[in-house]
Structure formats: C-alpha cells, structure tokens
Amino acid sequence: MHIDRLERFWLAAVAVVLGAFLAALVASVVLFGVSLPAPAGRVDPTRLEATEFGSPGLRSDGDRRYTFTVVSRMWRFDVGQRSGQQAELRVPAGSEITFVATSADVIHGFQIEDHNVNLMLIPGQISRKTVRFDTPGTYRILCHEYCGPGHQTMVASVIIE
Ligand code: CUA
C-alpha cells in the first residue's frame, strides 16, 4: 500500500505527540505520585451522628499530627462550631492534617488553596486526604462543586501559625 510522504510524516507526528502524552501521564504517576482520590469508606448519610462524623472537628494525634473531621451540609463545612460561625482551624507550621470528610445532603467539593487537595464529598462516601502545611498563612477550604443557592458561602479556613 502506498502512503504519501506527507501523510507518513503526519502519522508519525501524531504518534510522537500521543507518545509524549502517555510518557507525561506515566511520569506524573510514577515520579510525582499523582493519583485519583479513591473513596476511603462508606457511611450512612442519614445516621452520621452514630459515627465519627457525630462529633466533627480537630483532634490532635500528637507530634504535630491532626485529624480533622468535616461534615459538609448546605451550605457550610460543619466542624462542630456553632452555626453561623465560619469554620476555622489553627495549627502550627509543619503540621500534618488528615482530613476525613463526607456530605450529609448533596455533593459538595473540598479544595484547599495552594495545596494538592481536590476532593468530592458525596453522601454515603468518606473522603480522606493527608496534607502537610509548612508555610504559615491562611488557606481557604472551598466548596468547588455547585451545591445550591448558598454554594458561594461554603468556605472554611486553615490557619497555619
Ligand atoms: Cu457545597 Cu458548593
């Protein structure tokens, strides 16, 4: 079969580009540890009170390690604070926080500014992610899934001191 010289060139060019994309994908997984967040467990969203989500908030595990349990609801991140108060947590620089989160109603998002955290909070599913905070500052936790008319008010803050 005869393939024109130009056609051969473009077939090869496409193969090179696809190969480069594949190499970038493999490198991101192998070298940089990029992975899709997988569900960390299941929970009955109608019975959250009977689980670890019954008393959300920050818990110290010692040695600058923390567990932060969050329940997202329309339209706030419930971390055990009084309603109407914006969720805020303060920890010293160099802390490692494990976020354990779920949703009590609809799908919410969980993104932390300047950190590699981008989770979906789905009713019935537990999302978990451990992050190290080295640089002092205020980092907002944002709901980045449209979840209703109060969506833009869903924000919490991680304050690194
Ligand atoms: Cu919760 Cu948008």
Side-chain angles (χ1 to χ4, degrees):
M1 182 176 68
H2 171 74
I3 301 177
D4 185 75
R5 194 173 58 86
L6 268 180
E7 207 166 355
R8 245 194 338 261
F9 168 78
W10 286 113
L11 282 173
V14 166
V16 167
V17 169
L18 288 179
F21 287 163
L22 183 65
L25 194 66
V26 171
S28 71
V29 172
V30 176
L31 300 179
F32 301 107
V34 173
S35 64
L36 289 175
R42 301 252 156 225
V43 65
D44 181 348
T46 63
R47 293 181 207 284
L48 290 180
E49 311 73 43
T51 69
E52 60 189 311
F53 297 103
S55 50
L58 188 67
R59 193 186 72 215
S60 173
D61 301 322
D63 197 25
R64 293 197 177 189
R65 290 171 60 199
Y66 298 88
T67 301
F68 191 51
T69 312
V70 185
V71 180
S72 59
R73 343 180 158 261
M74 294 182 282
W75 290 280
R76 65 193 181 99
F77 291 109
D78 182 357
V79 295
Q81 85 280 24
R82 289 192 305 275
S83 68
Q85 216 175 24
Q86 199 185 90
E88 197 180 275
L89 78 127
R90 292 171 180 272
V91 293
S95 294
E96 204 175 78
I97 305 176
T98 298
F99 295 91
V100 183
T102 190
S103 168
D105 37 45
V106 300
I107 294 177
H108 296 278
F110 192 92
Q111 181 176 28
I112 303 179
E113 277 184 325
D114 300 330
H115 291 81
N116 185 19
V117 181
N118 183 336
L119 304 171
M120 281 176 91
L121 306 184
I122 300 170
Q125 180 178 301
I126 300 171
S127 299
R128 185 187 302 266
K129 176 83 181 170
T130 300
V131 195
R132 202 183 144 86
F133 292 89
D134 285 320
T135 314
T138 299
Y139 304 99
R140 285 178 303 172
I141 301 173
L142 304 164
C143 176
H144 64 304
E145 293 282 343
Y146 182 70
C147 56
H151 160 71
Q152 77 282 357
T153 65
M154 270 190 85
V155 61
S157 300
V158 180
I159 298 168
I160 306 300
E161 299 175 318

